[in-house]
Amino acid sequence: MRVDAGVIGGTGVGERLLHMPGDGVHVPTPAGFQRGRVIEIGGKSVFAMSRHSAGHKVPPHRVNYAAMALALQALGAGACFSTAAVGSFRSEWTPGTLVVCSDFLDASGRYPTLYDRSVVHTDFGSPFPAREYLLTAAKKEAVEVQDGGVYVCGNGPRYETPEEIRAFAKLGGDLVGMTAATEAILMREAGVPYGCLAIVTNLAAGLSDETLDHADVSRVMRQSGEVALRVLMAAAAEL
């Protein structure tokens, strides 16, 4: 079996993918089986995956990122598009803002790689090489997105401290999440161009008086998930 593209749905989007019409598939990889759904959209075949599995059971630091990357490599995917719930360092990027990520800072401490038994140095001059498809898709779907943002990846599952956010902002970060940089690294090593559509769910720690709560994140993602998924699928159709 071969597919044209892969799509990874995070919070609020993964469950939508699991309920779309298509065929359930389990792809064997050296990192384990990857479960997904093959969906036909715009004449393209898409392997859709829920990042946190059905029911949002898998926390960000336990997601099998390697299996997702290796599954798309085995399926011959031309690109992978994902959504990611993020906190914003910018007050003008309020909840519901969509950002096509342009770079990342990896503060997760995970050190992800597909090359534990050989020396392979991978170029990252273009951290999100499939981002142009997302920008084109958003324009065609008449969806407003921000063109560029630096994604800071923490390990989770805890949220960041106000001092960490201040430090990340000084380093050039715009957004903070717990998944996309790890996916970007492993997808690049697997030879699958990757693009991430970040969805702002809250201002980052210390930038507002509100307590960070996953229920609030899920609420915003439910509201914005349908639009974000439309952009992802339109991007896959662009390949």
Side-chain angles (χ1 to χ4, degrees):
M1 181 195 311
R2 296 185 70 81
V3 300
D4 295 295
V7 168
I8 300 172
T11 302
V13 177
E15 291 294 324
R16 293 175 186 269
L17 288 173
L18 293 179
H19 289 92
M20 292 183 70
D23 298 319
V25 176
H26 287 68
V27 181
T29 80
F33 280 91
Q34 178 57 50
R35 178 187 177 189
R37 198 167 193 80
V38 177
I39 299 168
E40 298 297 325
I41 182 85
K44 304 292 184 180
S45 180
V46 177
F47 187 61
M49 297 169 281
S50 177
R51 181 184 289 127
H52 302 286
S53 298
H56 201 90
K57 297 189 296 287
V58 182
H61 63 293
R62 296 300 298 265
V63 172
N64 194 341
Y65 299 100
M68 290 195 293
L70 290 169
L72 291 183
Q73 181 188 61
L75 293 171
C80 176
F81 306 103
S82 78
T83 62
V86 297
S88 172
F89 301 174
R90 298 190 182 192
S91 59
E92 69 271 24
W93 287 0
T94 54
T97 300
L98 304 182
V99 184
V100 178
C101 298
S102 53
D103 208 333
F104 68 78
L105 294 167
D106 186 7
S108 69
R110 293 175 190 150
Y111 304 111
T113 184
L114 301 177
Y115 299 110
D116 278 327
R117 299 180 182 277
S118 58
V119 180
V120 177
H121 302 294
T122 306
D123 175 71
F124 265 85
S126 178
F128 294 98
R131 64 186 306 273
E132 294 300 327
Y133 292 107
L134 290 170
L135 292 171
T136 299
K139 185 175 182 180
K140 287 189 173 182
E141 292 293 315
V143 174
E144 183 179 354
V145 298
Q146 300 300 317
D147 181 1
V150 177
Y151 179 108
V152 180
C153 189
N155 188 53
R158 71 169 177 86
Y159 292 116
E160 300 72 29
T161 69
E163 192 57 39
E164 286 174 327
I165 294 301
R166 283 190 283 271
F168 293 152
K170 289 178 182 177
L171 290 172
D174 298 299
L175 310 163
V176 64
M178 305 174 188
T179 58
T182 305
E183 288 174 358
I185 292 168
L186 294 175
M187 290 293 173
R188 172 61 64 86
E189 290 189 345
V192 181
Y194 176 76
C196 178
L197 181 64
I199 305 170
V200 174
T201 59
N202 54 271
L203 291 178
L207 300 181
S208 77
D209 296 328
E210 296 183 10
T211 300
L212 297 181
D213 189 295
H214 185 68
D216 294 330
V217 171
S218 297
R219 175 180 52 78
V220 175
M221 291 300 289
R222 284 194 299 271
Q223 294 170 348
S224 303
E226 184 176 349
V227 173
L229 184 54
R230 200 169 84 227
V231 174
L232 261 62
M233 289 304 189
E238 286 293 317
L239 288 174

